[in-house]
Amino acid sequence: MSSRKWDYGDVVALRYVPSGSARWIKPVRVVEDTAGCVALYLAADTPLKKPVHRHTGEQINRRLSYIERFSIDWVLGDGVWADNAVLMLTRPGTAHSFWAFWRGHDWTFLGWYVNFQDPLRRTDSGFDTADHVLDLVIDPDLRSWRWKDEDEFEEACSVGRFTDAERTAIAREREAVVAIVRSRSWPLDVAWSTWQPDPAWTVPTLADILA
């Protein structure tokens, strides 16, 4: 694992690497890289790498069940992170990340999303993690929230994506996140909804991270 620290404004690669193979590669800008927080900004309309059908290059239908998608023969292809801008706030060592969302064209704050994932691992090009399928969607006023993709998480467990020990650890992480939401502690105790990116920043390209 790399020990490299990143500076404000650096463009780095955020890779999702389950089972050793990168499934998503996103160019993001570093907002903060400290012992207490890694903050990464994913701009609307950012080009990225994502899974596509190996033989046709077609996008994989997100409406398919997890079991169906799990069996698809895929390669990395080109895609775009469209519409919304995201600030990803992660405490080192934690198995989740709080994402603040804005509508890209008018910067309306849309709310929070908690992505359950492996703790961030530093690399020479940025950070690696692996998605845990399960997510939590939180309204902008923090008064209500709902679980997302619980059915997909169960399907992922059924095909061996997670071991029993990993499933237990994710359950503990769920409890920890709910406690954060109920107490409105970090990062929900900070006025992130008013945050804006540096106006000098351009949308990163894949060439910035794959060169």
Side-chain angles (χ1 to χ4, degrees):
M1 182 184 299
S2 174
S3 60
R4 180 171 181 177
K5 288 280 189 175
W6 300 97
D7 295 324
Y8 175 81
D10 283 346
V11 177
V12 302
L14 177 61
R15 305 193 315 160
Y16 292 82
V17 189
S19 306
S21 298
R23 289 184 67 94
W24 290 79
I25 306 176
K26 301 174 181 177
V28 294
R29 284 196 184 270
V30 176
V31 177
E32 181 179 333
D33 183 10
T34 65
C37 175
V38 174
L40 304 174
Y41 173 56
L42 176 60
D45 300 320
T46 296
L48 49 76
K49 290 291 187 179
K50 61 186 292 186
V52 298
H53 287 271
R54 178 180 296 276
H55 300 295
T56 65
E58 294 178 347
Q59 304 292 315
I60 295 174
N61 188 346
R62 191 63 177 79
R63 295 180 181 178
L64 295 175
S65 69
Y66 184 91
I67 292 176
E68 290 174 301
R69 298 200 309 275
F70 188 79
S71 65
I72 290 173
D73 188 14
W74 62 274
V75 294
L76 278 179
D78 293 326
V80 176
W81 183 268
D83 301 331
N84 297 329
V86 188
L87 180 64
M88 306 172 180
L89 303 164
T90 313
R91 280 198 157 147
T94 60
H96 65 268
S97 179
F98 276 82
W99 295 7
F101 273 83
W102 292 266
R103 191 160 52 224
H105 70 272
D106 63 7
W107 208 251
T108 297
F109 184 62
L110 301 176
W112 291 91
Y113 184 98
V114 182
N115 195 62
F116 289 81
Q117 60 186 42
D118 284 357
L120 292 178
R121 301 182 296 277
R122 292 181 182 276
T123 71
D124 289 337
S125 60
F127 299 90
D128 282 359
T129 184
D131 188 72
H132 290 175
V133 182
L134 191 67
D135 307 293
L136 185 67
V137 180
I138 308 169
D139 287 346
D141 61 9
L142 307 181
R143 293 181 180 177
S144 59
W145 60 86
R146 61 181 175 84
W147 292 103
K148 180 175 178 290
D149 297 334
E150 284 186 295
D151 55 340
E152 291 195 7
F153 178 72
E154 292 300 324
E155 290 180 352
C157 291
S158 73
V159 296
R161 170 68 177 80
F162 303 106
T163 65
D164 289 343
E166 289 170 334
R167 182 171 184 169
T168 298
I170 292 169
R172 288 197 300 266
E173 200 73 15
R174 288 179 65 160
E175 294 175 358
V177 166
V178 168
I180 290 170
V181 176
R182 286 176 171 162
S183 64
R184 299 190 182 183
S185 52
W186 189 93
L188 303 178
D189 60 344
V190 180
W192 288 109
S193 61
T194 62
W195 179 86
Q196 293 191 11
D198 191 316
W201 288 350
T202 57
V203 176
T205 68
L206 288 164
D208 294 326
I209 61 170
L210 298 179

